[in-house]
Every structure is written in C-alpha cells, then in structure tokens.
Amino acid sequence: MEILLVRHGEPVTAFSETEPVDPELTARGHWQAECLAAWLAHEPIDYVVASSKRRAIETATPLANRLGLEPEIIPDLVEIDRNAKIYAPPPLLKERFPEYYESIQKGEFERIGWDSFEVFRARVRGAWQALLDRPRGERVVVACHGGTIGVILSHVLEIQSHTLLDATPFASITRLVVEEGGVRVRSLHEIAHFDGVRERAVGPEGEGFA
C-alpha cells in the first residue's frame, strides 16, 4: 500500500475574537489544489482522506471530484492549533500577531488554543495507526497539515522531534510505502505538479502504475 500525505494548499490569514478559525484557501491555494488534482488523476488512487479543517478538505476536493470519490473526514488528523483563534503562515505570525507568536515561543499552548505536543503527537499517531489497521486501498491520498505530516514522518523515521520536518511546502506530496516489514519513505515533499504537465504517470521503475 502507498499513502500519499498531502499538505493543504495556501490558506488565507484568519482572526476571530470569539471562536476557533477555519480558514479557506487563497486563490493560489485553489490553484495548488487543482495542479495537485491534475497530476494525481493519472495515478490509480483508491481513496481520499482529509482532516476536518476547511483548508484540507478544499485541497482534497478537486482530486476527489476528478476520481468520483467522497473524501473520508478524519478529525484527529488536524493540526496542533485546532482550537486557535488566529491562523497565519509562520512568516507572518511574528509580524502581524506578536503576542500570539510570543505565546508559541513560550509554550503557552493552552492559552492560544493549541494542543500540547504530547496530546498532538498521540492524536496524530492514533489516526495514522488506524489508517494502517484498516487499509482503504492500494493507493490512498491523505490531505492534512504540515505538523501532522511531521509527526507521522518522525514516527516512521524514529526521529524524536517532528519540528525537524516542519518545512513542508503547501500542497506538496510525501509518499510512504507500507509493507509487511514496516513503512518506508518513497519521496519527500514533491512539488513537480506546480510546473509540470502529465499525460500519463510512470512509476519509480518506469513501468507505470498497476
């Protein structure tokens, strides 16, 4: 089985005084999702999964529509900041929301609607194990988040800190192969779909996809 971990496309910056934010994709984020769909439509995708956040669902939807599939929503795949009232790409946080950024640096996660690292790690690992325990097909796309992908990769690679793997491009593809002996990484953060055009897909050995 191959699992394709896809980070969501670029979202808008969002802020709320009263409740957790759930930002949609920007125009560029929708373009990224369409590029992803056009690229992966040439592969035999059996199933599509998304976290319950809007940015992940909107990233998965163009591909699911092309394939005639309905994405399965798995809330435990959402990011560490699932209850935060602010969302902005990391480069903007320090500039536009300095108090929020300072709380992140101090580890004051509960105050800003973040899970603790321990809760986040356990939640994502549980969702990942559930995917392995109940295979959805031979090739499954999972649209989620940069931190979520970092937790899964650090678990697979047996790395202590998932933050070593945080630089995940929007709408990139990371391929994991699940075999009898365990899980191995086939590719990390693919972005060829942003400037490439595919008429057919060729597998890693040049034989195409079965």
Side-chain angles (χ1 to χ4, degrees):
M1 177 173 65
E2 186 173 68
I3 297 180
L4 284 64
L5 301 177
V6 172
R7 189 186 180 193
H8 59 76
E10 179 187 74
V12 301
T13 295
F15 170 76
S16 172
E17 293 278 4
T18 58
E19 58 190 30
V21 295
D22 190 10
E24 68 272 18
L25 296 182
T26 64
R28 179 160 55 189
H30 282 291
W31 170 80
Q32 291 166 342
E34 291 292 346
C35 289
L36 175 80
W39 190 262
L40 291 181
H42 294 281
E43 299 184 29
I45 305 296
D46 298 312
Y47 206 79
V48 177
V49 171
S51 90
S52 55
K53 288 295 187 180
R54 185 173 176 180
R55 56 194 185 270
I57 294 170
E58 290 184 354
T59 301
T61 296
L63 175 63
N65 287 344
R66 280 177 177 257
L67 300 175
L69 300 173
E70 183 70 28
E72 177 186 355
I73 306 303
I74 301 182
D76 280 346
L77 290 170
V78 302
E79 185 62 275
I80 191 171
D81 63 349
R82 59 178 169 171
N83 293 313
K85 297 175 183 178
I86 291 172
Y87 180 88
L92 293 179
L93 280 178
K94 187 175 182 179
E95 175 187 346
R96 295 192 57 182
F97 305 101
E99 292 184 5
Y100 181 81
Y101 180 82
E102 185 177 352
S103 293
I104 295 173
Q105 300 307 301
K106 291 181 177 179
E108 299 170 342
F109 294 160
E110 184 176 354
R111 191 172 80 80
I112 58 174
W114 283 34
D115 291 333
S116 68
F117 279 128
E118 292 75 20
V119 168
F120 178 50
R121 200 161 38 231
R123 169 167 60 79
V124 171
R125 286 183 179 181
W128 170 249
Q129 189 60 50
L131 285 172
L132 299 184
D133 290 343
R134 186 170 73 83
R136 273 71 167 175
E138 286 302 311
R139 187 166 287 102
V140 178
V141 170
V142 178
C144 53
H145 308 263
T148 303
I149 293 170
V151 168
I152 294 171
L153 284 175
S154 65
H155 178 59
V156 168
L157 297 172
E158 299 182 346
I159 297 172
Q160 288 299 313
S161 174
H162 77 274
T163 58
L164 293 173
L165 301 159
D166 274 354
T168 307
F170 288 128
S172 61
I173 305 165
T174 291
R175 297 174 188 263
L176 302 180
V177 179
V178 182
E179 301 171 315
E180 187 173 339
V183 182
R184 60 184 173 86
V185 178
R186 170 165 281 169
S187 73
L188 189 67
H189 305 341
E190 296 177 23
I191 55 171
H193 44 288
F194 296 147
D195 58 4
V197 177
R198 239 179 181 184
E199 294 183 357
R200 65 187 183 92
V202 178
E205 305 299 325
E207 79 288 2
F209 285 88

